[in-house]
Amino acid sequence: MPNDGIHIETTFKALADPTRRAVVQTLIDGPASVSQLAQLFDMALPSFTQHLGVLEGAGLIASERRGRARICSLNLDALRRAEDWLAMHRREAEERLDRLEAHLKQVEKGEA
């Protein structure tokens, strides 16, 4: 499991930036070339490609050359792993809150 923690940390660090979240959101609609993606953002191409590098390094996107274009696509497995991580921790928190609620009800009734 230690590698999962590193992976999750990298994933969330990548998604912490609004530009990178917007790229992920855009790629939900399907693959796009780097130039198509870059047109959506008001920044220099080298700065934009750094964002793509962070996303690719985190495993959130993949890219491949098609002729002269570099095409980016979303890695849904990486998003699922992040979603599973969040869901697991949400369930744990909800279970704790449920136990706390049950305990407080017992205290109110004078049973604890």
Side-chain angles (χ1 to χ4, degrees):
M1 287 278 181
N3 284 343
D4 285 348
I6 293 168
H7 175 76
I8 289 300
E9 182 176 315
T10 305
T11 298
F12 287 125
K13 278 185 178 180
L15 293 173
D17 183 87
T19 298
R20 294 192 286 265
R21 287 193 308 273
V23 169
V24 168
Q25 183 67 40
T26 300
L27 291 175
I28 286 172
D29 294 332
S33 70
V34 170
S35 60
Q36 289 171 323
L37 291 168
Q39 289 175 356
L40 302 173
F41 301 92
D42 185 27
M43 67 178 66
L45 186 59
S47 297
F48 181 72
T49 58
Q50 284 182 333
H51 285 291
L52 294 180
V54 171
L55 288 169
E56 198 161 6
L60 290 163
I61 67 169
S63 67
E64 65 176 329
R65 285 255 179 237
R66 289 189 196 159
R68 299 174 113 191
R70 184 172 155 212
I71 306 298
C72 298
S73 58
L74 197 55
N75 179 0
L76 294 177
D77 288 338
L79 288 178
R80 276 189 208 101
R81 284 191 298 270
E83 180 182 14
D84 291 346
W85 186 90
L86 288 168
M88 177 185 67
H89 289 284
R90 184 188 66 241
R91 276 192 307 275
E92 289 174 2
E94 288 172 348
E95 288 170 4
R96 282 188 208 119
L97 289 173
D98 289 345
R99 287 193 303 269
L100 176 61
E101 181 181 24
H103 174 72
L104 292 174
K105 285 181 180 177
Q106 286 178 342
V107 168
E108 264 183 12
K109 293 179 182 179
E111 296 175 7

